[in-house]
């Protein structure tokens, strides 16, 4: 009797928690658009922020331009990219992998809310990590798992070993999301409001995160990737997934590293060449990192892989400027 | 790996139990238990698991023959291996730097030869169990050597491997011998679950809750005003109790799943009436180990003063390699001796005064655990309100509230008694099931901010 009651109580409480996580969170971006103040989302996990950005896009008419990627592009706002605030949205999430960007764009496309033109930041440095998508949540993510394991279009390049590794990575990612879910910080974030403020590191209405203004010009160093974790076959698979999204103009660009580090090491070079081959093979527009993205008078790089928002925004504006969005 | 990790609770423990109770494989249970225990330990450092295995092999090789019974030289030889490992890993830095004051060739204040030595978790605990086994063989309490695998089960059993209770072989002999035929009884498993949940909650919700305040205050030992200093003393006193008590309860609870009845390690220590009584209630398995393997062989009460000073100094040193721990031990020795001298007066005080005074003195002693030796003196001035450097650090209502809550739990909640409700009616069992379900769920939600167990560093 005791054990049954104990287990039932725990199961009910866990089910309640899952229900809370399934309820759409409040939309801080819409609130920020109303009062012009930004919102701190520190307590939210990456999967929550992806969810909120998805919900925002779903509630909004289709954006002309969407920026996807990690913290390396998160600070680029509509003013940086010279776009009207209402027509641009930054879908990036700190720590978001290429695989997560693809999954988010696929979900948006399924909801007919994929931006007409999507700029997807490809993070060479981040390819040393598993980088499996943490969003959408289970059980929806099972579709991604199934497609990753089958991956018919990459049949020649993906051996059994790579698929077993991918299965293990999905289990690992699932466990990470379980751990994130069983925490008071995520629960608090989901049940509380994101209060308006004007601090740094908070999010504006366009989905971007404010960046501190001026970093001092300092020597910046970067530890090159120790390994390449994402098998080239899965890079090919992900590019194929993007190519299948016919309703959006997709530009995959390599996020720049600090000037002088672009061709730093053989692992980065091999990753870039594998990605470029896959990307162009699927007919996507693919842009490797430029040699320099910087401003001569500041703002300066905060570290070796996070370029200044204004400079990166100008670069991305040029990058996307020559391609007319589909009607 | 530690008990307050989701990986332990939801992956390791279920897998360990599934393997243990796998139908048709009962004869492999001892091997399985040793295997999973070594994985449990090795996940924190495989080289340290080798140290553990080496200690077991060493004691096994020397004590396997009955020649060891009554043979002092062989017993010393059996004990010296694990003790040397303990000395190397735990005390080499202390000896070279603090005791001998050696400097390296660059004239630095520290000698760096042993800087890279990392203390294997729980080495003090399993070393004492290995030594206890060797001495019990010498004394003939263990008539025949039990064999390598049973010895390994006894030493490595993961619920008690890292922070006790320090078990004697005879206390778990029955469980080890009947492993292959053990079938879990519902009541024992239910009690095990209840104790483990209580333990987890005391650690995560009480001890770690207090830790957030203790960590902030203890980072500035020299500048605390008297109010904050006293808050720190009492909050840490509660923290270390619930931290270690929580671990012990979990160990006892988890032991039940595998048919082991581990001894109680805490008997309401903060209800002790005097310092001597405190040591009958706090970390009981260590107190009895010291009594049986150190105090009595030294002559016991015949040379009371000398022996008390020796065993408490060594008890302090067992806890940590530093003069602050030695002084902590001597502080308790003085308390125990002082109580002996003043017993007629002490015992005539009202019971609540005795308890309060004992708690106050014991709590003061924990200051030596909290700070480096150099900071203790200035912190003492803060306690007395005599420090010129003290600044007023606000102790918020929330902080007082948390401490008050911990105190209520300490004096008014008895997990063992509550668990005994399981043997009563169905209504009590249902109520306890719901209550512990809520407590377990709450503890799980706070695991992400849970800290490592304090006693792991010993």
């Amino acid at each position: 009797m005791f054990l049954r009651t104990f287990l039932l109580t725990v199961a009910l409480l866990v089910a309640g928690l899952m229900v809370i996580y399934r309820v759409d969170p409040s939309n801080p971006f819409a609130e920020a658009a109303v009062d012009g103040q930004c919102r701190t989302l520190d307590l939210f996990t990456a999967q929550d922020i992806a969810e909120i950005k998805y919900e925002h896009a779903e509630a909004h008419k289709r954006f002309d331009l969407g920026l996807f990627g990690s913290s390396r592009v998160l600070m680029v706002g509509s003013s940086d990219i010279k776009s009207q605030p209402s027509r641009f949205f930054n879908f990036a999430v700190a720590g978001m992998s290429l695989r997560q960007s693809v999954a988010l764009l696929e979900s948006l496309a399924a909801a007919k809310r994929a931006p007409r033109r999507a700029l997807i930041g490809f993070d060479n440095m981040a390819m040393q990590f598993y980088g499996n998508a943490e969003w959408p949540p289970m059980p929806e993510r099972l579709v991604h798992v199934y497609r990753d394991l089958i991956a018919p279009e990459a049949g020649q390049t993906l051996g059994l070993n790579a698929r077993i590794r991918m299965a293990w990575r999905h289990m690992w990612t699932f466990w990470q999301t379980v751990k994130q879910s069983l925490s008071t910080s995520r629960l608090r974030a989901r049940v509380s409001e994101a209060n308006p403020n004007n601090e740094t590191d908070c999010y504006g209405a366009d989905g971007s995160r404010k960046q501190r203004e001026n970093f001092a010009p300092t020597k910046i160093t970067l530890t090159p990737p120790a390994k390449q974790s994402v098998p080239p076959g899965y890079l090919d698979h992900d590019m194929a997934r993007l190519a299948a999204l016919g309703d959006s103009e997709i530009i995959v660009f390599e996020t720049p590293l600090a000037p002088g580090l672009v061709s730093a090491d053989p692992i980065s070079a091999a990753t870039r060449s594998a990605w470029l081959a896959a990307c162009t093979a699927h007919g996507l527009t693919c842009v490797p990192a430029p040699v320099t993205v910087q401003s001569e008078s500041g703002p300066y790089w905060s570290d070796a892989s996070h370029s200044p928002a204004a400079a990166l925004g100008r670069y991305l504006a040029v990058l996307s400027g020559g391609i007319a969005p589909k009607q | 790996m530690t008990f307050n990790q989701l990986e332990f609770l939801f992956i390791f423990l279920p897998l360990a139990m599934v393997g243990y109770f796998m139908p048709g494989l009962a004869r492999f249970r001892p091997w399985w238990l040793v295997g999973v225990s070594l994985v449990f330990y090795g996940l924190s450092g495989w080289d340290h698991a080798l140290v553990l295995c080496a200690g077991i092999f060493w004691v096994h090789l020397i004590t396997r023959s009955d020649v060891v019974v009554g043979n002092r030289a062989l017993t010393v030889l059996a004990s010296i291996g694990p003790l040397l490992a303990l000395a190397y890993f735990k005390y080499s830095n202390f000896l070279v730097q603090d005791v001998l004051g050696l400097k390296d060739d660059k004239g630095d204040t520290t000698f760096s030869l042993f800087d890279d030595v990392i203390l294997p978790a729980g080495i003090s605990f399993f070393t004492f169990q290995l030594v206890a086994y060797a001495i019990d063989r010498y004394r003939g309490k263990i008539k025949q050597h039990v064999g390598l695998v049973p010895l390994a089960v006894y030493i490595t059993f993961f619920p008690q491997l890292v922070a006790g209770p320090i078990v004697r072989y005879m206390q778990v002999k029955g469980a080890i011998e009947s492993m292959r035929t053990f079938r879990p009884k519902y009541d024992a498993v239910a009690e095990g679950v209840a104790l483990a949940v209580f333990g987890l909650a005391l650690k995560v919700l009480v001890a770690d809750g207090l830790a957030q305040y203790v960590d902030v205050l203890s980072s500035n030992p020299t500048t605390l005003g008297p109010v904050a200093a006293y808050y720190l003393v009492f909050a840490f006193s509660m923290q270390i109790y619930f931290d270690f008590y929580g671990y012990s309860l979990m160990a006892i609870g988890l032991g039940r799943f595998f048919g082991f009845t581990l001894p109680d390690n805490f008997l309401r220590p903060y209800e002790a009436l005097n310092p001597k009584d405190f040591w009958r209630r706090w970390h009981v398995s260590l107190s009895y180990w010291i009594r049986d393997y150190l105090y009595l062989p030294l002559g016991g009460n015949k040379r009371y003063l000398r022996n008390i000073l020796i065993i408490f100094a060594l008890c302090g040193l067992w806890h940590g390699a530093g003069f602050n721990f030695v002084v902590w031990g001597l502080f308790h020795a003085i308390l125990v001796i002082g109580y002996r001298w003043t017993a007629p007066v002490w015992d005539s005080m009202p019971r609540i005064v005795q308890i309060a005074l004992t708690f106050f003195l014991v709590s003061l002693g924990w200051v030596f655990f909290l700070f480096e030796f150099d900071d203790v003196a200035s912190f003492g001035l803060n306690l007395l309100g005599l420090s010129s450097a003290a600044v007023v650090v606000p102790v918020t209502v929330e902080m007082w509230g948390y401490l008050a809550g911990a105190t209520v739990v300490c004096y008014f909640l008895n997990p063992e008694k509550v668990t005994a409700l399981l043997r009563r009616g169905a209504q009590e069992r249902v109520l306890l099931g719901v209550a512990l379900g809520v407590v377990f769920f709450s503890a799980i939600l706070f695991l992400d901010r849970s800290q490592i167990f304090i006693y792991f560093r010993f």
Side-chain angles (χ1 to χ4, degrees):
Chain A
M1 187 68 90
F2 163 76
L3 286 177
R4 222 177 306 160
T5 320
F6 171 77
L7 291 173
L8 187 64
T9 305
V10 174
L12 283 174
L13 289 168
V14 170
L17 187 69
M18 293 306 119
V19 169
I20 290 173
Y21 289 147
R22 297 305 295 214
V23 173
D24 291 346
S26 63
N27 184 339
F29 306 112
E31 292 163 4
V34 172
D35 61 22
Q37 289 192 294
C38 69
R39 299 293 193 277
T40 303
L41 303 178
D42 287 349
L43 287 176
F44 285 94
T45 62
Q47 48 177 326
D48 282 329
I49 296 178
E51 166 88 12
I52 294 169
K53 290 195 168 183
Y54 171 84
E55 298 290 348
H56 180 71
E58 205 176 34
H60 198 280
K61 66 179 183 182
R62 199 175 173 202
F63 288 104
D64 281 343
L65 183 61
L67 180 56
F68 295 78
S70 66
S71 61
R72 293 179 173 95
V73 298
L74 179 58
M75 60 288 183
V76 176
S78 55
S79 59
D80 300 313
I81 208 164
K82 312 294 181 211
S83 169
Q84 286 178 19
S86 61
R87 303 186 66 192
F88 164 80
F89 193 73
N90 189 325
F91 288 94
V93 178
M96 188 190 264
S97 61
L98 175 68
R99 313 212 75 221
Q100 176 67 82
S101 294
V102 174
L104 179 55
L105 189 54
E106 279 182 332
S107 297
L108 289 166
K112 310 281 185 209
R113 288 293 184 275
R116 290 187 174 82
R117 180 179 295 146
L119 290 172
I120 299 182
F122 165 77
D123 243 330
N124 200 326
M125 291 297 293
M127 296 307 278
Q128 59 187 314
F129 308 117
Y130 285 11
N132 275 0
E134 294 181 356
W135 187 89
M138 290 291 187
E140 290 94 317
R141 202 162 68 241
L142 281 175
V143 176
H144 297 263
V145 177
Y146 174 75
R147 283 166 49 195
D148 272 354
L149 297 185
I150 301 301
E153 71 285 346
Q156 297 301 312
T157 50
L158 278 177
L160 181 64
N161 187 29
R163 290 171 204 265
I164 291 171
R165 282 171 67 195
M166 183 53 73
W168 166 251
R169 288 170 185 200
H170 275 296
M171 282 195 281
W172 188 85
T173 305
F174 173 68
W175 178 246
Q176 297 310 308
T177 55
V178 168
K179 283 175 73 172
Q180 287 172 3
S181 300
L182 292 175
S183 77
T184 48
S185 53
R186 186 175 185 212
L187 180 61
R188 270 195 300 150
R190 292 297 291 232
V191 298
S192 60
E193 298 284 322
N195 293 320
N197 64 72
N198 276 312
E199 296 166 6
T200 52
D201 291 338
C202 65
Y203 290 75
D206 61 4
S208 67
R209 193 170 69 187
K210 270 191 189 176
Q211 190 179 36
R212 273 194 293 134
E213 283 302 313
N214 269 317
F215 293 98
T218 53
K219 187 183 179 193
I220 41 185
T221 55
L222 183 68
T223 307
K227 58 183 179 180
Q228 186 197 39
S229 259
V230 179
Y234 277 109
L235 263 178
D236 189 37
H237 171 59
D238 291 336
M239 292 303 113
R241 289 163 68 190
L242 288 177
L245 304 174
D247 202 26
S248 297
E249 189 79 41
I250 293 172
I251 302 169
V252 190
F253 68 97
E254 187 182 17
T255 52
L257 303 180
L261 290 167
V262 177
S263 53
D265 73 296
I267 293 178
S268 293
T271 302
R272 178 180 300 125
S273 109
W275 158 69
L276 267 176
C279 191
T280 49
H282 291 286
L284 298 164
T285 305
C286 320
V287 186
V291 175
T292 56
V293 173
Q294 63 179 332
S295 163
E296 290 168 4
S297 57
Y300 301 97
W301 289 63
S302 59
D303 60 44
S305 62
H306 291 79
S307 44
L312 181 60
R314 281 198 299 277
Y315 165 68
L316 293 179
V318 171
L319 200 65
S320 63
I323 304 165
K326 285 182 179 175
Q327 297 303 310
Chain B
M1 183 169 275
T2 63
F3 294 167
N4 56 341
Q5 284 180 305
L6 286 172
E7 285 83 356
F8 173 81
L9 293 168
F10 294 117
I11 297 177
F12 177 86
L13 185 60
L15 285 178
M17 291 183 67
V18 165
Y20 191 77
F21 293 111
M22 188 74 81
L25 299 177
R27 66 182 183 280
F28 298 114
R29 281 178 180 174
W31 292 94
W32 174 258
L33 206 48
V34 172
V36 294
S37 296
L38 288 176
V39 169
F40 171 85
Y41 192 70
L43 286 175
S44 310
W46 289 103
D47 45 347
H48 292 169
L50 287 177
V51 174
L52 172 64
C53 291
I56 294 168
F57 273 114
W58 178 269
V59 173
H60 161 71
L61 286 174
I62 298 172
T63 61
R64 61 194 297 195
S65 163
D66 288 342
V67 178
V68 78
V69 178
N71 188 323
R72 190 179 292 249
L74 276 180
T75 306
V76 169
L77 188 65
S79 306
I80 206 79
L83 286 172
L84 278 177
L86 177 67
Y88 171 74
F89 282 105
K90 190 162 181 172
Y91 300 110
S92 48
N93 251 327
F94 170 64
L95 181 71
V96 168
Q97 289 180 17
D98 297 343
V99 179
L100 301 176
L102 296 182
K103 298 176 181 180
D104 68 9
D105 55 0
K106 293 174 192 157
D108 288 343
T109 52
T110 58
F111 189 81
S112 58
L113 180 60
F114 300 111
D115 276 358
D116 295 334
V117 175
I118 298 170
L119 186 68
I123 189 170
S124 306
F125 289 89
F126 66 71
T127 299
F128 269 31
Q129 287 201 181
L130 285 166
V131 172
Y133 181 84
I135 296 176
D136 283 351
R137 281 287 287 143
Y138 163 77
R139 290 175 177 171
K141 286 187 176 176
I142 301 170
K143 304 284 183 206
Q144 283 188 320
H145 178 51
V146 298
L148 178 61
V149 176
L151 176 63
V153 171
Y154 159 60
I155 298 296
T156 65
F157 184 47
F158 70 86
Q160 50 98 113
L161 170 60
V162 183
I166 301 170
V167 182
R168 317 286 175 83
Y169 182 77
M170 296 309 285
Q171 289 175 307
V172 290
K173 178 175 183 276
I176 292 175
E177 287 177 352
S178 61
M179 281 174 82
R180 292 184 173 89
T181 54
F182 170 68
R183 299 183 70 175
K185 292 198 172 83
Y186 178 89
D187 287 347
V189 173
E191 278 191 17
V193 168
L195 289 172
V197 170
F198 267 121
L200 184 69
L202 293 180
K203 160 65 179 162
V204 176
L205 300 179
V206 185
D208 290 333
L210 286 167
Q212 61 184 319
Y213 308 124
V214 169
D215 289 349
V216 172
L217 293 178
S218 61
S219 60
N220 297 301
T222 56
T223 58
L224 294 177
V227 174
Y230 277 106
Y231 179 89
L232 179 57
V233 167
F234 296 127
F236 183 67
S237 188
M238 286 293 170
Q239 184 199 344
I240 194 169
Y241 169 51
F242 283 115
D243 193 285
F244 196 15
Y245 180 37
Y247 180 91
S248 296
L249 275 182
M250 285 195 82
I252 293 167
L254 298 176
R256 299 275 172 91
F257 299 167
F258 299 91
F260 285 67
T261 305
L262 301 178
D264 287 336
N265 218 13
F266 290 89
L267 302 170
R268 322 281 302 160
Y270 287 159
E271 292 175 19
L273 295 171
N274 53 62
K276 189 178 174 185
D277 188 28
F278 174 79
W279 282 101
R280 290 196 199 106
R281 296 163 173 264
W282 178 275
H283 202 174
V284 177
S285 61
L286 175 67
S287 299
Y288 286 165
W289 193 98
I290 289 174
R291 181 196 66 186
D292 293 345
Y293 299 106
L294 208 55
Y295 184 69
L296 293 177
L298 281 170
N301 289 345
K302 285 179 194 163
R303 303 192 67 177
Y304 184 76
L305 196 62
R306 184 202 72 165
N307 290 347
I308 287 289
L309 287 170
I310 289 174
I311 63 157
F312 273 104
L314 289 174
C315 175
L317 210 50
W318 178 88
H319 279 85
F323 283 122
N324 51 323
F325 290 102
V326 178
V327 173
W328 171 79
L330 291 174
F331 172 78
H332 272 276
I334 291 167
L335 292 185
V336 170
I337 294 166
Y339 166 70
R340 186 177 165 108
W341 287 343
T342 61
V345 179
W346 187 295
D347 293 343
S348 64
M349 290 189 293
R351 185 182 166 83
I352 192 162
V353 175
Q354 292 181 48
I355 291 173
L357 190 55
T358 306
F359 173 69
F360 178 73
L361 291 170
V362 168
S363 298
L364 277 185
W366 293 130
V367 170
F368 293 104
F369 268 51
L370 202 49
F371 298 124
E372 292 295 321
F373 199 59
D374 296 342
D375 291 329
V376 173
S378 51
F379 183 75
L381 290 177
N382 293 343
L383 283 173
L384 296 170
L386 299 175
S387 171
S388 56
V391 292
V392 177
V393 177
V395 179
T396 63
V397 174
E398 180 187 313
M399 292 164 75
W400 285 116
Y402 220 106
L403 180 56
T407 308
V408 168
V409 172
C410 176
Y411 287 101
F412 296 100
L413 178 77
N414 187 332
E416 287 89 350
K417 271 191 182 169
V418 175
T419 303
L421 288 176
L422 288 172
R423 294 179 212 126
R424 291 170 61 175
Q427 196 177 349
E428 282 88 348
R429 285 199 288 269
V430 170
L431 279 176
L432 200 56
V434 173
L436 287 182
V438 173
V439 166
F440 178 69
F441 179 74
S442 308
I444 292 296
L445 285 185
F446 281 95
L447 274 185
D448 61 335
R449 61 177 69 176
S450 188
Q451 299 187 353
I452 195 155
F453 288 92
I454 294 174
Y455 262 67
F456 274 23
R457 64 177 96 133
F458 307 141

